[in-house]
Amino acid sequence: MESIKDNLFEIRKSIKEAANKADRSENGVTLLAVTKTVETDAIQEAMANGVTEVGENKPQELVRKYDIIGDKVKWHLIGSLQTNKVKYIIDKVHMIHSLDRISLAKEIQKQAEKVDRTIKCLVQVNISKEESKHGIYVEDVVDFVKEVSNNFKNIKIEGMMTMAPFTEDEIEVRSVFKGLKELSNEIKDLNIPNVDMDVLSMGMSHDYKIAIEEGATIVRVGTSIFGKRDYSINK
């Protein structure tokens, strides 16, 4: 059976190859280890093999694992975030990838003020307009970013996040990633205060190489590091 160490070696090799193919440096791509259903011993093994940033889908799981591991890694909240859960992670999270509505921005602002922090956020964009996915449609993103910039001073938009359809159609997958990159360039040109477009979180175990070729700066990889997991376990 492949070990976490071996898996990480192969993934880093693939990241380097994909970056080289796109005439980019692999140093411009952050490997975010997605730890949904992964226990802390496996996370610590990944940390021992160079993982420094971890992505959790559920706030309660982030808190539980943070209580054991602490701030030895940077914690990212990558799943959909309910407003009533923001207060639990606000002092622990390095970045929130799923900012997708003004009600959530209001709550992040409120909780961030309490702990005197500026919270790094990515706007989640639903490029493919799949009903099963969260995120703002492309045509609404600019207005949303401007509203957050104007009204929520403790939120720093660092870029955007998206998910491609789970399909073998590489052209369709690539078009989603390309669309997010084009949108980021468009927003960057607007020079909106307190908004950067330096971060593009896109690509998972099955499509991160394509995402890197299209400009991803964070790839969210879980299965390829930790192996297949039983998502029916409701912890």
Side-chain angles (χ1 to χ4, degrees):
M1 193 172 76
E2 292 291 307
S3 69
I4 288 172
K5 180 180 180 179
D6 291 339
N7 290 344
L8 284 166
F9 177 82
E10 291 301 325
I11 291 161
R12 290 189 179 111
K13 193 167 84 171
S14 294
I15 287 173
K16 184 174 183 177
E17 287 168 358
N20 287 344
K21 188 173 174 183
D23 201 23
R24 299 177 61 198
S25 166
E26 79 241 49
N27 297 329
V29 182
T30 297
L31 173 60
L32 187 65
V34 175
T35 53
K36 183 177 181 180
T37 77
V38 174
E39 282 306 319
T40 51
D41 55 345
I43 298 172
Q44 287 166 325
E45 186 180 340
M47 290 163 60
N49 288 283
V51 165
T52 58
E53 310 211 19
V54 166
E56 264 298 329
N57 287 69
K58 293 183 177 180
Q60 61 268 34
E61 283 294 285
L62 189 153
V63 170
R64 183 175 73 83
K65 293 168 187 178
Y66 185 97
D67 286 345
I68 297 167
I69 294 171
D71 61 2
K72 296 188 184 80
V73 288
K74 291 177 179 175
W75 296 89
H76 297 242
L77 195 285
I78 61 174
S80 182
L81 180 56
Q82 294 172 288
T83 52
N84 64 349
K85 300 287 175 63
V86 173
K87 59 182 179 247
Y88 301 116
I89 63 163
I90 201 73
D91 59 339
K92 301 173 179 67
V93 74
H94 171 69
M95 185 179 284
I96 294 170
H97 289 227
S98 47
L99 179 58
D100 62 354
R101 60 201 187 280
I102 292 301
S103 60
L104 179 57
K106 284 180 181 173
E107 186 64 21
I108 293 171
Q109 175 65 31
K110 175 181 161 186
Q111 299 299 335
E113 284 177 7
K114 288 182 182 178
V115 295
D116 193 26
R117 285 192 70 195
T118 297
I119 305 299
K120 297 178 181 178
C121 292
L122 303 180
V123 176
Q124 183 168 353
V125 184
N126 188 347
I127 298 267
S128 55
K129 293 190 174 179
E130 288 180 272
E131 287 185 13
S132 61
K133 287 188 169 58
H134 293 272
I136 302 168
Y137 289 167
V138 169
E139 57 267 28
D140 300 322
V141 171
V142 170
D143 286 344
F144 178 80
V145 169
K146 286 178 177 175
E147 188 169 350
V148 172
S149 167
N150 288 333
N151 297 308
F152 306 107
K153 299 307 175 194
N154 288 62
I155 293 177
K156 179 69 163 61
I157 293 179
E158 296 276 351
M160 295 183 292
M161 181 268 261
T162 198
M163 286 183 276
F166 199 90
T167 173
E168 296 296 316
D169 184 348
E170 185 181 315
I171 293 170
E172 187 179 351
V173 170
R174 193 176 292 277
S175 72
V176 167
F177 297 146
K178 199 185 291 281
L180 196 71
K181 177 65 175 176
E182 288 169 355
L183 181 60
S184 78
N185 288 337
E186 180 188 326
I187 294 172
K188 190 178 286 188
D189 289 343
L190 296 174
N191 293 313
I192 302 168
N194 206 32
V195 172
D196 287 330
M197 281 290 138
D198 297 331
V199 179
L200 288 181
S201 170
M202 54 190 197
M204 298 161 69
S205 287
H206 58 287
D207 58 13
Y208 70 86
K209 297 171 200 171
I210 300 170
I212 291 168
E213 289 172 21
E214 296 301 335
T217 67
I218 295 177
V219 290
R220 308 181 303 272
V221 181
T223 303
S224 293
I225 297 174
F226 299 107
K228 284 195 168 63
R229 287 155 288 167
D230 183 359
Y231 292 125
S232 67
I233 299 170
N234 189 16
K235 293 181 179 171

